[in-house]
Amino acid sequence: MADVAEAAGVSHQTVSRVLNGHPHVREETRARVLQAVERLGYRRNMQARALVTRRSRTLGAVVFGTTLHGPASTLYGIEQAARAAGYFLSIVTLKTPDRQETQEALSHLADQGVGGIIVASPQLLAGAAPAGMPVVVIEGGHVAEAPVACVDQAAGARSVTEHLLALGHETVWHVSGPPDWSEAASRAAGWRTALAAAGRTTPEPVPGDWSPRSGYEAGRRLLREPGVTAVFAANDQMALGLLRAFAEVGVRVPAHISVAGYDDIPEAAFFSPPLTTVRPDFESVGRQGFELLLELMEGRQAEAPERRVIEPLLITRQSTAGPATHRREEVRCDG
């Protein structure tokens, strides 16, 4: 910084004011300092800055499932919001939502001196947050000990189930996500609530693991069930597997069976047929999570942890329609 001050012909304090965006600097002086910064290739020493300001510009994030659309989009929203505010993100990615691994990740980030941490699911946080560390939760259900930013997963599942019932289907079958994911549990709960409110029978969910293969296997199983006319898959990838399983044996969607998904991945509009699904604004969840963490770090949070809920949007496309007027022929699906 002293080299920049000498090159620009100003004081060390003026360079500091320019780099911190202080408004009371003449534009001519500001331009001269920034030219010197660029010419000399000056980079701030963030560790030294943290020692002086007692505030780290690095935040931590503990996430899992980042190969999937939802977690990846949420993480992107966090990273973009943090970068825009001048923060960097240190990310620990877990394979599955494991509590012990989460505790180790939180300790690792705390040892790095991060200013705060965003955790991907509330069931992982209980009792694991380092003392005195600002922590925010994204996704999942209710948690008493930290602010939360999340999608109303149950509302999205209710809306798509109600859509299928409104088309005239007697009930809706469900291909569920992994049981250790709070998002899967919330989507299944919303599906059950919609069926119960309509006084319809609730079929046993067919388990899946978010992958197209598990959706394909669920589809082959559903082909052996009599009277299936509508299926709601807990994500779009599993819905893709359903479409493949049905197409292989000549069951047409939506003429014979309606199929709906969840997430509205970019490819959903290009499935055959285009997929009816639920669009959660995952990037907004990431941004809201970062804003909550920033407020917590700056002491601007109310006494009770705030909960910000993003409402999802139902997207209707050509994969859903009313039940066929004629009963589809029973299809034998061996294996």
Side-chain angles (χ1 to χ4, degrees):
M1 192 178 289
D3 293 337
V4 171
E6 183 179 354
V10 298
S11 68
H12 181 281
Q13 289 80 5
T14 299
V15 174
S16 178
R17 284 197 292 269
V18 169
L19 294 177
N20 286 298
H22 198 284
H24 302 303
V25 179
R26 289 189 301 173
E27 288 306 314
E28 178 186 353
T29 303
R30 188 186 306 276
R32 196 162 68 247
V33 169
L34 293 177
Q35 286 172 2
V37 164
E38 184 176 357
R39 185 168 68 252
L40 296 175
Y42 170 78
R43 295 292 182 270
R44 280 176 158 180
N45 185 322
M46 299 307 292
Q47 291 180 331
R49 175 175 168 79
L51 288 172
V52 172
T53 63
R54 298 182 181 273
R55 182 172 175 180
S56 172
R57 304 299 292 184
T58 300
L59 306 177
V62 180
V63 295
F64 55 89
T66 51
T67 58
L68 298 171
H69 174 71
S73 299
T74 304
L75 182 59
Y76 177 80
I78 297 169
E79 196 276 334
Q80 290 297 302
R83 184 187 298 181
Y87 285 85
F88 297 92
L89 205 60
S90 181
I91 304 167
V92 179
T93 303
L94 309 180
K95 289 184 178 180
T96 57
D98 180 84
R99 180 167 295 180
Q100 182 177 347
E101 288 189 13
T102 301
Q103 290 177 336
E104 292 174 357
L106 289 168
S107 296
H108 170 73
L109 291 169
D111 290 344
Q112 287 186 358
V114 298
I117 302 174
I118 297 176
V119 184
S121 194
Q123 73 266 29
L124 304 180
L125 181 61
M133 175 66 68
V135 175
V136 165
V137 170
I138 52 172
E139 281 311 327
H142 294 272
V143 56
E145 58 190 292
V148 174
C150 64
V151 170
D152 192 337
Q153 305 283 2
R158 285 197 307 272
S159 68
V160 71
T161 305
E162 290 167 354
H163 162 71
L164 289 163
L165 294 176
L167 290 173
H169 297 279
E170 285 299 316
T171 191
V172 178
W173 289 70
H174 182 50
V175 180
S176 61
D180 54 351
W181 283 65
S182 59
E183 292 87 342
S186 295
R187 293 173 192 183
W191 162 73
R192 288 191 183 91
T193 298
L195 291 179
R200 308 300 174 85
T201 58
T202 304
E204 188 68 23
V206 181
D209 63 9
W210 299 133
S211 71
R213 173 168 290 280
S214 70
Y216 174 81
E217 292 169 351
R220 289 175 62 83
R221 176 174 164 181
L222 287 168
L223 287 167
R224 295 191 289 268
E225 297 284 349
V228 177
T229 65
V231 185
F232 159 47
N235 77 340
D236 293 346
Q237 285 91 346
M238 292 193 297
L240 177 61
L242 286 171
L243 294 176
R244 170 66 182 271
F246 295 157
E248 282 186 348
V249 293
V251 172
R252 290 181 289 126
V253 175
H256 296 140
I257 299 180
S258 287
V259 173
Y262 203 112
D263 285 347
D264 194 28
I265 63 175
E267 300 84 359
F270 301 93
F271 286 3
S272 183
L275 185 67
T276 291
T277 185
V278 176
R279 180 186 296 165
D281 191 347
F282 292 117
E283 290 185 26
S284 179
V285 171
R287 291 193 299 270
Q288 293 292 331
F290 168 76
E291 290 178 9
L292 284 170
L293 185 59
L294 195 59
E295 290 177 8
L296 197 61
M297 291 165 56
E298 294 177 347
R300 294 187 284 121
Q301 275 279 318
E303 289 186 10
E306 184 178 353
R307 178 179 171 84
R308 295 184 185 177
V309 180
I310 311 300
E311 294 296 327
L313 179 66
L314 176 65
I315 306 296
T316 56
R317 299 192 179 103
Q318 289 91 337
S319 68
T320 54
T325 55
H326 60 281
R327 178 183 172 83
R328 72 175 175 86
E329 296 179 1
E330 296 300 328
V331 178
R332 179 176 175 79
C333 183
D334 297 321

